[in-house]
Amino acid sequence: SLQSRTILFVPSYYDFVRVKALFKSDGTGMRYATLSEYSTGADITRVRARFFEGLVDFLITTERFYFYHRYKLRGARAVVFYSIPAHTQYYSDYVNMLSEGDESLSSTALFSLLDQHSMVRLLGSARARAMFRGKQHTFALA
């Protein structure tokens, strides 16, 4: 099931454009907004307010947006990482943006074999190696 108030963190601008086009062509009427390094101050203010008020279900952001602006995106109940961030501190920053007091919070990170170096920076070599060599497809981190 789809969860409202979800931040979709996309590290590369190329993937951001692809995800944005996917949302646009979906045809289900999902309410989404985007924030990138090219967003104006007025756009950022408007999108952040709409997301916090629940008028936008999905907020698609780029890693470079957070690099340049460092806004706290309030009201998030879920974070989905399209790929592991190049700056590993951004992972914990975005997870810490999840609304406190809400019991249905979640963080999901999608990764592939190409993300091995990023996973080592995020989790350490032993945990990352165990994840890539294991038979599981889903991992829970605390």
Side-chain angles (χ1 to χ4, degrees), residues 94-110:
Y94 267 71
V95 170
N96 288 330
M97 286 183 199
L98 295 174
S99 298
E100 294 179 14
D102 194 340
E103 37 194 70
S104 60
L105 304 177
S106 70
S107 171
T108 304
L110 307 175

Side-chain angles (χ1 to χ4, degrees), residues 57-129:
D57 292 326
F58 294 92
L59 178 57
I60 308 168
T61 67
T62 63
E63 184 166 3
R64 288 173 55 102
F65 165 77
Y66 191 67
F67 178 82
Y68 288 116
H69 299 290
R70 303 287 171 112
Y71 286 109
K72 180 169 174 38
L73 303 171
R74 300 178 310 144
R77 292 192 182 122
V79 178
V80 176
F81 294 90
Y82 189 79
S83 182
I84 303 302
H87 296 86
T88 55
Q89 178 62 37
Y90 296 176
Y91 181 85
S92 61
D93 288 351
Y94 267 71
V95 170
N96 288 330
M97 286 183 199
L98 295 174
S99 298
E100 294 179 14
D102 194 340
E103 37 194 70
S104 60
L105 304 177
S106 70
S107 171
T108 304
L110 307 175
F111 63 92
S112 68
L113 289 174
L114 300 175
D115 295 317
Q116 285 184 354
H117 292 294
S118 298
M119 292 293 283
V120 167
R121 286 193 308 269
L122 184 64
L123 302 171
S125 58
R127 285 177 101 183
R129 189 178 314 115

